[in-house]
């Protein structure tokens, strides 16, 4: 496991104790319910009815002790109230529980830290409040709801603030978080699997906080982001998903971004930094063009690596990039494989069938006066190879009616357009179709064709979000459970 950096130690251990009084459990091995705490003087816990408790003090639950969320409990937390849970003895898996503000205030929530084994948090609805995870052992947050996270505990509803292993965020629902839904600090190596979550209209403050914003974790395990649905709010600052090694943490960083759906964000998938080995497969990125200046973003996929000695490598297969300012932009020293089917066999490490689909991607540079964004598919950019390296992008379907070299060339920016750039080898192209209609809501039509998250069309749906071609020629979004 990676050691904490000195700066991280400071950011984890310095907490705001000044505003609220703090009750600290005696560290004698007792697991307390909130009914128990309400009977102890000085805790700041008051029992309102059989299952409802108000909390006005911070509570520190020491490592030998624990706290239990009983079934049906409601916690009304006061302004800036934080429950710090040390160790792994707490019981946080009720059938259902709710954390709400005590009036018109902004509580912080729960901070789980100094875990000596894995701990679970399940079936809790957080309104305003959030969860901070400090490690070093993993926390599983599952089947929880985070409604209108208020940004008091940190810039994410679930915020990783300490190096840790084996974290999981699964089957959670995030609605209108002020900033990110799930994030980690720039110098935090938290191995995590983020899967099967729904993030709806998050980052409402319209700041530069992606809905999922992770840092790679090296020896602490891979970062796996899969089967999530990110429904954007058409804002100009937040993107959908980002993994960044901004501190250039050394290590063999493994990143898997697979089978996610994202729409209506400033950008889709953003990868920044070095030392990373990334697999981007089966994602659907639609209408991520809410950036007013295309020089500042707006790609379905961006990968930017600056190190020639330790470049980031990215494998891109079976994704759909539609309605973005740029379909994909590969920058700096990045080594990208977006489809390699000639001169290799299917058993070769470099083999990639491609099967990415590009449609209606393009921009006019800067949004003209009165325009919402710089989006303009009549000035096409499916792929911009902003590196000096040769980039293979074979087997893909491009945003033109005829998949010929002449037509595809109009949608790719590379050595043909500037002698400083590397060549994109894009032939042979794929045999798929990019002709999916704009999504409408016609309840009278019936489904005739299902477009799976990978972009493959079939006569039957798959579990998750499908884009469905209807009998009247329009398309709709349908969630299959």
């Amino acid at each position: 496991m990676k050691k904490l950096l000195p700066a991280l130690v400071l950011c984890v251990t310095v907490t705001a104790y000044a505003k609220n009084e703090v009750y600290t459990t005696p560290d004698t091995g007792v697991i307390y319910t909130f009914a128990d705490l309400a009977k102890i003087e000085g805790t700041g816990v008051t029992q309102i009815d059989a299952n409802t408790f108000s909390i006005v003090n911070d509570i520190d639950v020491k490592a030998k002790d624990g706290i239990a969320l009983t079934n049906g409990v409601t916690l009304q937390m006061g302004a800036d109230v934080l429950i710090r849970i040390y160790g792994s003895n707490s019981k946080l898996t009720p059938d259902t529980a709710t954390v709400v503000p005590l009036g018109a205030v902004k509580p912080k929530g729960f901070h789980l830290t100094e875990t000596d084994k894995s701990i679970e948090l399940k079936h809790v609805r957080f309104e305003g409040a959030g969860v901070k995870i400090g490690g070093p052992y993993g926390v599983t947050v599952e089947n929880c709801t985070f409604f209108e996270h208020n940004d008091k505990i940190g810039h994410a509803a679930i915020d990783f603030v300490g190096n840790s292993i084996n974290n999981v965020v699964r089957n959670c629902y995030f609605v209108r978080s002020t900033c990110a839904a799930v994030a980690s600090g720039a110098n935090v190596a938290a191995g995590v699997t983020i899967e099967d979550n729904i993030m709806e209209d998050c980052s409402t403050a319209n700041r530069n906080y992606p809905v999922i914003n992770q840092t790679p974790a090296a020896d602490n395990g891979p970062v796996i982001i899969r089967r999530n649905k990110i429904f954007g709010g058409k804002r100009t600052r937040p993107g959908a998903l980002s993994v960044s090694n901004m501190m250039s943490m050394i290590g063999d960083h493994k990143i898997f971004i697979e089978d996610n759906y994202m729409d209506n964000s400033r950008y889709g998938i953003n990868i920044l930094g070095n030392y990373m080995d990334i697999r981007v497969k089966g994602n659907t990125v639609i209408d991520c063009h809410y950036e007013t200046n295309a020089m500042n973003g707006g790609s379905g996929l961006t990968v930017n690596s600056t190190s020639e000695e330790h470049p980031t490598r990215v494998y891109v297969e079976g994704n759909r990039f539609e309605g973005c300012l740029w379909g994909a932009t590969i920058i700096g020293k990045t080594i990208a494989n977006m489809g390699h089917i000639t001169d290799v066999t299917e058993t070769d490490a470099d083999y990639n069938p491609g099967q990415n689909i590009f449609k209606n991607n393009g921009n006019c540079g800067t949004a003209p006066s009165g325009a919402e964004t710089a989006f303009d598919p009549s000035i096409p950019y499916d792929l911009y190879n902003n590196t000096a390296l040769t980039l293979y992008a074979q087997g893909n379907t491009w945003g033109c009616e005829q998949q010929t070299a002449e037509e595809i060339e109009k949608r790719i920016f590379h050595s043909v357009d500037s002698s400083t750039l590397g060549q994109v080898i894009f032939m042979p192209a794929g045999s798929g179709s990019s002709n999916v209609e704009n999504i409408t809501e016609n309840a009278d039509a019936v489904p005739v064709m299902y477009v799976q998250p990978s972009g493959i069309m079939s006569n039957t749906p798959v579990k998750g979000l499908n884009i469905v071609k209807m009998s009247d020629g329009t398309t709709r979004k349908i969630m299959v459970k």
Side-chain angles (χ1 to χ4, degrees), residues 4-20:
L4 290 172
L5 301 174
L8 177 61
V9 174
L10 290 175
C11 82
V12 171
T13 57
V14 176
T15 53
Y17 285 84
K19 190 167 185 178
N20 295 320

Side-chain angles (χ1 to χ4, degrees), residues 159-411:
D159 195 3
F160 294 96
V161 296
N163 290 3
S164 53
I165 60 173
N166 298 330
N167 297 287
V168 177
V169 180
R170 179 186 295 126
N171 289 328
C172 292
Y173 186 28
F174 302 82
V175 186
R176 295 195 294 275
S177 294
T178 300
C179 291
V182 184
S184 62
N187 58 350
V188 174
V192 61
T193 297
I194 303 169
E195 63 184 7
D196 299 312
N197 304 286
I198 296 175
M199 289 93 166
E200 183 175 347
D201 192 19
C202 290
S203 212
T204 58
N206 197 24
R207 298 161 66 187
N208 190 19
Y209 289 101
V211 177
I212 298 178
N213 188 20
Q214 290 300 122
T215 301
D219 294 341
N220 286 352
V223 172
I224 301 172
I225 304 171
R226 62 191 174 199
R227 300 189 302 272
N228 301 285
K229 308 296 184 293
I230 303 174
F231 301 105
K234 299 184 179 182
R235 296 184 176 85
T236 58
R237 296 291 290 158
L241 190 163
S242 180
V243 179
S244 300
N245 189 10
M246 297 179 66
M247 305 294 291
S248 287
M249 291 191 292
I250 298 171
D252 183 16
H253 303 297
K254 300 292 186 183
I255 315 293
F256 299 87
I257 302 172
E258 299 179 339
D259 299 320
N260 301 284
Y261 173 90
M262 57 204 78
D263 66 17
N264 292 311
S265 300
R266 176 188 167 203
Y267 58 79
I269 301 169
N270 177 68
I271 310 294
L272 176 63
N274 307 313
Y275 294 96
M276 291 184 281
D277 184 358
I278 301 170
R279 186 176 182 88
V280 179
K281 184 177 180 181
N283 302 282
T284 299
V285 184
I286 295 179
D287 293 337
C288 289
H289 59 235
Y290 290 89
E291 164 64 64
T292 57
N293 185 343
M295 295 301 103
N296 295 332
S299 293
L301 169 68
T302 297
V303 188
N304 188 351
S305 179
T306 59
S307 172
E308 191 165 358
E309 185 179 1
H310 302 287
T312 283
R313 297 173 179 269
V314 60
Y315 174 97
V316 185
E317 178 195 343
N319 304 279
R320 182 179 193 90
F321 303 111
E322 178 179 348
C324 302
L325 301 186
W326 320 85
T329 50
I330 309 300
I331 303 172
K333 306 298 182 181
T334 303
I335 299 175
N337 180 347
M338 299 187 66
H340 193 168
I341 59 179
T342 58
D343 304 319
V344 292
T345 67
E346 293 188 16
T347 59
D348 290 338
D350 289 337
Y351 178 80
N352 177 355
Q355 299 179 350
N356 300 289
I357 295 176
F358 299 84
K359 185 191 176 187
N360 287 345
N361 302 297
N363 70 84
C364 57
T366 303
S369 178
E372 185 178 30
T373 77
F375 178 58
D376 188 348
S378 69
I379 308 174
Y381 289 102
D382 279 347
L383 173 59
Y384 198 123
N385 182 21
N386 198 6
T387 80
L389 304 173
T390 298
L391 194 165
Y392 278 84
Q394 299 172 324
N396 301 306
T397 300
W398 305 90
C400 43
E401 291 294 330
Q402 302 299 321
Q403 300 295 306
T404 63
E406 181 180 6
E407 290 299 313
I408 296 170
E409 182 64 61
K410 298 174 184 178
R411 312 191 67 85

Side-chain angles (χ1 to χ4, degrees), residues 59-241:
I59 298 174
D60 280 4
V61 181
K62 303 303 288 184
K64 291 182 182 179
D65 299 329
I67 203 164
L69 293 177
T70 53
N71 295 334
V73 70
T74 295
L75 307 181
Q76 299 179 349
M77 300 181 73
D80 293 307
V81 165
L82 179 65
I83 299 175
R84 284 172 287 263
I85 300 173
Y86 298 89
S88 306
N89 292 327
S90 293
K91 308 298 181 183
L92 306 176
T93 58
D95 290 342
T96 181
T98 307
V99 178
V100 299
L102 179 61
V105 300
K106 294 182 177 181
K108 291 182 177 178
F110 292 0
H111 183 182
L112 312 179
T113 190
E114 296 184 15
T115 49
D116 55 0
K117 59 184 178 181
S118 296
I119 187 171
E120 295 181 337
L121 172 64
K122 297 183 178 181
H123 310 132
V124 181
R125 177 182 173 88
F126 292 88
E127 297 186 7
V131 175
K132 186 181 290 186
I133 297 174
Y137 283 87
V139 174
T140 293
V141 184
E142 190 170 2
N143 293 314
C144 291
T145 295
F146 295 85
F147 179 77
E148 295 186 349
H149 175 250
N150 61 34
D151 202 28
K152 294 294 288 186
I153 198 173
H155 294 314
I158 299 178
D159 195 3
F160 294 96
V161 296
N163 290 3
S164 53
I165 60 173
N166 298 330
N167 297 287
V168 177
V169 180
R170 179 186 295 126
N171 289 328
C172 292
Y173 186 28
F174 302 82
V175 186
R176 295 195 294 275
S177 294
T178 300
C179 291
V182 184
S184 62
N187 58 350
V188 174
V192 61
T193 297
I194 303 169
E195 63 184 7
D196 299 312
N197 304 286
I198 296 175
M199 289 93 166
E200 183 175 347
D201 192 19
C202 290
S203 212
T204 58
N206 197 24
R207 298 161 66 187
N208 190 19
Y209 289 101
V211 177
I212 298 178
N213 188 20
Q214 290 300 122
T215 301
D219 294 341
N220 286 352
V223 172
I224 301 172
I225 304 171
R226 62 191 174 199
R227 300 189 302 272
N228 301 285
K229 308 296 184 293
I230 303 174
F231 301 105
K234 299 184 179 182
R235 296 184 176 85
T236 58
R237 296 291 290 158
L241 190 163

